[in-house]
Amino acid sequence: MSEKKFMIQNFEQVEASNLLPRVREMFEGGYRLGQACATKQADGNIFVLYSFDKDHVLYNLKVNVPSNLELQSITDDYWPAFIYENEMHDLFGITFKHLALDYQGKFFKVSTPTPWNPQN
Amino acid sequence: MGKRTIIPFGPQHPVLPEPVHLDLVMEDEKVVDVIPSIGYIHRGLEKLVEKKEYTEMVYVIERICGICSFGHGWGASAVIEGALGIEAPARAQYLRTIWHELSRVHSHLLWLGLLADGFGFDSLFMHCWRIREHVLDLFEKTTGGRVIFSVCKVGGVRKDIDAMTLKEIVDTLNSLKPEIEEVAEVFRKDASCRNRMVGVGTLSYDDAVALGAVGPVARGSGVVQDMRLTGAGVYDELGFEPIIETAGDCQARTEVRIREVFQSIELIEKAVAMIPDGPIEVPAKGNVENEFIMRMEQPRGEAFYYAKGAGSKFLERMRVRTPTNQNIPALVHMLKGCDLADVPILVLTIDPCISCTER
Amino acid sequence: MANIKRSPWLLHYDGSSCNGCDIEVLACLTPMYDVERFGIINTGNPKHADIFLVTGSVNAQNESVVRQIYEQMPEPKVVVAIGICANNGGIFRECYNIKGGVDTVIPVDVYVPGCAARPEAIIDGVVKGLGVLAEKRAAMDVKEAIPTNTAKEEA
């Protein structure tokens, strides 16, 4: 079982300031963006998980979101990330700076604004 | 430069069973820009993890989508199994693979029908759906449900299939083969189909990789990417090889799906021949402490499941990223420069599943 | 024109359903169940429709869409809520973005239960809806102002 590719779970903790250079490295290494999602932890802090795929093996970057809820957008390297970043903006209230295609909170129309936000 | 007009497409549109909205920026007959907007079906079901235990979450995740519901049930069960550190027994893995491939057959037939409906070929639509009903009958016989099965659970499956019924599945599928062949020939050779698909909406290999396309959209552009190669289920034992087409147009994406129908039937046949005896479940007990990521190949492409436990019966996070979500950038790219009349066909060829996308 | 007798046409809108009920609605129209042999046709235009099939529950974003489609349909009209989500929210009832069943926005005449609703149940619901439609038409014929939407039946 251990030789199966889906059992390989790579997680790497990255500082928010070091996110863009690290993403650039992934981009240059030929990785494809699998997804990005945010998770609210029990202590109220949010981290964002970026998953990259190469040859059917995933590599994940974990970034703790600073308390001002601002992150750099990775749409410079990975344009399709606009979907995930807009989603995180609408559901978690995380602001992404220099977002390539910004829906300004109109991507998901939700009855309660930013339902996953720690303040709610 | 002509005058720009914005034509709204959807949310209620005859070719779409589900609501999605596109703002098409037009110059005469050509689409020059597209702004997709979604959110009509957003339910927020991922947040139900706070109210439902992990064993109950499988039901919720399964109801993300009624077409790939088995795949979602499997994905949710598998990711929680991974986080718990347990493994479903071999017979359960085979049964899951059989059901998953059956749902691929039904999903692709459904899609072929919708595509035919999209270019107004109604009798072809009816034939695809007529064949599909036989597959649904097999589901009903083995699981009790036609579209929502709830047969997968954390640790295995709920129902076993006896040898007689397994044989019946293979016999039924084999008897359907000539009929599917007949329908496939129409998609491949009929002028009214080819005129709408050949050379329309071409997505190059480089674009498919850069835009992160998944599933038949990527494979239609020559990208070797299929999550059945990651070792989930028993695809390694069955000697699975992904199906690749290189043209990258609507015809290629259709061809991938047609060939996958026959491939799935073959895989089911092999699995039925190889299925071992044994238990179909292991007990799933304890609290989820870890995090785990699982990817499944749904009929529409790669689906991503992420579960994170916090040391209780309730998960801290259950994230599902579905194939359509990943294919929207590719769709936006394909739509730019196409004719207005081709928009419905192009939207259909990514096999959009909006319920999945918005959860 | 309301008193002319004709085959009923359907309009289908997916509220926020999981697709299960939607494909079962479509399955009703295809050869196995084939309601088209009774002249029932699935139309894409609200102005042509007599029966409005809604699957899935209502949320903040599609609320106005559902109401608008309903208002565009000519009188007499019948609303059939298909599946447990359209009836009261079902498994997604507790989700933050779900308002509840379709009857929180527009009056519903027939409720079809099930998750997913089976094609037989959907056809049964539509046939019940035909009865309601006939009643509403009769009410219009006797020149009673606007028909009320009080007749509720369980499918």
Side-chain angles (χ1 to χ4, degrees):
Chain A
M1 179 171 168
S2 55
E3 78 277 11
K4 295 201 166 178
K5 280 184 181 167
F6 75 86
M7 289 305 291
I8 306 168
Q9 306 270 325
N10 292 315
F11 292 97
E12 183 193 321
Q13 190 76 40
V14 178
E15 290 298 314
S17 54
N18 200 27
L19 173 67
L20 282 191
R22 198 70 193 82
V23 169
R24 175 65 54 89
E25 279 170 39
M26 302 302 282
F27 183 71
E28 281 162 3
Y31 280 84
R32 164 180 77 87
L33 178 72
Q35 66 94 34
C37 76
T39 299
K40 187 182 108 181
Q41 286 170 294
D43 57 10
N45 290 323
I46 302 180
F47 69 82
V48 177
L49 184 75
Y50 295 92
S51 306
F52 298 90
D53 169 279
K54 191 180 180 183
D55 300 331
H56 300 95
V57 176
L58 268 187
Y59 197 90
N60 306 291
L61 301 181
K62 250 189 197 180
V63 185
N64 284 326
V65 180
S67 52
N68 63 354
L69 294 180
E70 258 188 15
L71 271 184
Q72 292 288 335
S73 165
I74 62 164
T75 46
D76 255 8
D77 289 322
Y78 290 99
W79 178 72
F82 78 89
I83 289 194
Y84 306 117
E85 292 184 346
N86 278 301
E87 181 182 316
M88 282 186 265
H89 174 266
D90 291 1
L91 301 185
F92 287 82
I94 306 170
T95 317
F96 288 88
K97 281 193 275 188
H98 312 297
L99 185 50
L101 182 53
D102 195 346
Y103 281 75
Q104 303 188 325
K106 298 205 170 89
F107 197 59
F108 281 118
K109 202 176 187 182
V110 282
S111 46
T112 46
T114 62
W116 293 78
N117 193 293
Q119 269 105 52
N120 289 329
Chain B
M1 193 180 113
K3 198 173 162 241
R4 293 197 165 187
T5 329
I6 295 179
I7 297 185
F9 180 88
Q12 193 261 337
H13 191 278
V15 304
L16 299 168
E18 305 168 87
V20 63
H21 180 83
L22 301 171
D23 281 317
L24 305 168
V25 183
M26 307 289 302
E27 253 173 41
D28 299 332
E29 275 288 293
K30 292 275 179 216
V31 179
V32 290
D33 204 3
V34 185
I35 303 154
S37 50
I38 60 172
Y40 290 94
I41 323 190
H42 181 64
R43 293 158 283 191
L45 58 85
E46 284 172 357
K47 208 164 195 304
L48 281 180
V49 288
E50 292 167 6
K51 292 173 184 148
K52 310 245 184 219
E53 288 183 12
Y54 64 80
T55 44
E56 295 169 328
M57 266 319 273
V58 178
Y59 298 107
V60 178
I61 300 294
E62 193 168 30
R63 280 163 178 78
I64 283 180
C65 171
I67 305 175
C68 21
S69 60
F70 186 82
H72 280 309
W74 185 1
S77 310
V79 73
I80 297 168
E81 281 162 19
L84 282 170
I86 59 173
E87 197 186 359
R91 190 173 173 88
Q93 298 284 8
Y94 270 90
L95 290 172
R96 285 176 177 183
T97 306
I98 291 170
W99 274 315
H100 193 47
E101 291 308 311
L102 265 180
S103 59
R104 194 182 313 278
V105 173
H106 113 74
S107 171
H108 282 346
L109 284 171
L110 175 142
W111 175 81
L112 285 170
L114 289 181
L115 178 73
D117 191 43
F119 50 70
F121 202 150
D122 252 20
S123 57
L124 193 54
F125 162 63
M126 292 292 178
H127 278 295
C128 293
W129 280 60
R130 178 179 56 79
I131 301 169
R132 176 179 162 269
E133 284 290 338
H134 295 285
V135 184
L136 292 187
D137 286 346
L138 293 176
F139 271 122
E140 193 168 357
K141 186 152 193 169
T142 51
T143 69
R146 278 167 52 90
V147 290
I148 303 275
F149 316 115
S150 298
V151 78
C152 237
K153 67 173 190 177
V154 182
V157 291
R158 266 194 191 84
K159 287 190 177 122
D160 203 347
I161 311 180
D162 60 42
M164 278 257 288
T165 319
L166 283 174
K167 190 173 170 296
E168 195 191 322
I169 292 176
V170 176
D171 290 347
T172 312
L173 289 176
N174 278 330
S175 71
L176 290 179
K177 256 190 194 168
E179 297 187 43
I180 303 173
E181 200 84 61
E182 217 172 306
V183 168
E185 283 305 287
V186 180
F187 280 103
R188 283 171 178 151
K189 298 210 174 120
D190 193 275
S192 56
C193 296
R194 290 186 67 85
N195 288 347
R196 295 301 302 271
M197 296 197 292
V198 176
V200 175
T202 308
L203 184 71
S204 69
Y205 176 90
D206 293 337
D207 286 338
V209 173
L211 296 168
V214 294
V217 179
R219 292 198 288 279
S221 297
V223 184
V224 183
Q225 186 214 89
D226 195 311
M227 293 310 129
R228 285 174 280 182
L229 294 170
T230 58
V234 291
Y235 293 102
D236 289 352
E237 288 88 326
L238 299 178
F240 167 78
E241 288 285 335
I243 282 170
I244 310 291
E245 289 282 328
T246 48
D249 56 0
C250 292
Q251 184 79 38
R253 293 190 275 278
T254 310
E255 185 62 31
V256 169
R257 293 188 177 105
I258 291 173
R259 285 172 59 197
E260 279 186 358
V261 171
F262 293 108
Q263 185 194 36
S264 293
I265 295 176
E266 257 169 53
L267 287 171
I268 293 169
E269 216 168 329
K270 275 190 206 163
V272 166
M274 288 165 64
I275 189 166
D277 285 329
I280 55 165
E281 55 173 310
V282 291
K285 277 189 277 202
N287 298 331
V288 185
E289 310 275 357
N290 300 320
E291 54 189 342
F292 201 79
I293 293 177
M294 186 78 200
R295 288 181 298 163
M296 304 294 304
E297 185 72 18
Q298 304 280 10
R300 283 157 189 74
E302 171 205 42
F304 173 104
Y305 303 87
Y306 170 64
K308 185 175 187 303
S312 74
K313 288 271 180 201
F314 297 89
L315 295 172
E316 196 168 79
R317 181 80 160 107
M318 180 92 194
R319 153 80 169 169
V320 184
R321 198 276 289 142
T322 56
T324 308
N325 214 324
Q326 188 77 345
N327 276 333
I328 286 178
L331 173 68
V332 169
H333 177 82
M334 286 190 278
L335 283 174
K336 284 180 192 168
C338 81
D339 286 332
L340 178 63
D342 288 332
V343 171
I345 302 292
L346 278 174
V347 173
L348 278 175
T349 55
I350 71 158
D351 201 352
C353 181
I354 311 301
S355 306
C356 282
T357 312
E358 302 171 5
R359 304 171 306 280
Chain C
M1 291 292 279
N3 54 357
I4 294 175
K5 214 165 175 157
R6 61 194 189 277
S7 298
W9 283 19
L10 307 177
L11 177 75
H12 166 230
Y13 183 76
D14 171 354
S16 57
S17 101
C18 71
N19 248 339
C21 296
D22 307 316
I23 56 176
E24 294 294 56
V25 168
L26 277 179
C28 293
L29 303 164
T30 53
M32 181 73 91
Y33 299 96
D34 198 13
V35 293
E36 286 197 4
R37 67 201 143 127
F38 306 122
I40 300 176
I41 291 177
N42 188 19
T43 170
N45 189 340
K47 300 214 157 91
H48 296 168
D50 307 288
I51 301 183
F52 187 22
L53 305 181
V54 195
T55 53
S57 33
V58 176
N59 65 17
Q61 185 148 357
N62 68 28
E63 189 186 342
S64 59
V65 181
V66 171
R67 192 174 285 130
Q68 199 180 1
I69 293 173
Y70 179 73
E71 280 163 7
Q72 284 177 356
M73 286 171 60
E75 294 283 352
K77 55 194 167 190
V78 167
V79 177
V80 182
I82 289 170
I84 191 70
C85 299
N87 293 0
N88 67 2
I91 194 168
F92 305 122
R93 200 193 170 105
E94 294 169 280
C95 291
Y96 58 82
N97 210 30
I98 293 292
K99 233 177 115 85
V102 180
D103 51 9
T104 53
V105 181
I106 53 173
V108 174
D109 300 288
V110 182
Y111 295 85
V112 178
C115 178
R118 295 180 57 86
E120 292 93 333
I122 296 173
I123 294 171
D124 202 28
V126 170
V127 171
K128 277 231 160 73
L130 292 181
V132 181
L133 194 66
E135 277 171 33
K136 287 190 178 180
R137 188 172 290 138
M140 284 174 84
D141 282 347
V142 286
K143 301 276 183 289
E144 280 181 9
I146 305 154
T148 51
N149 292 317
T150 47
K152 283 188 179 177
E153 282 187 56
E154 296 286 330

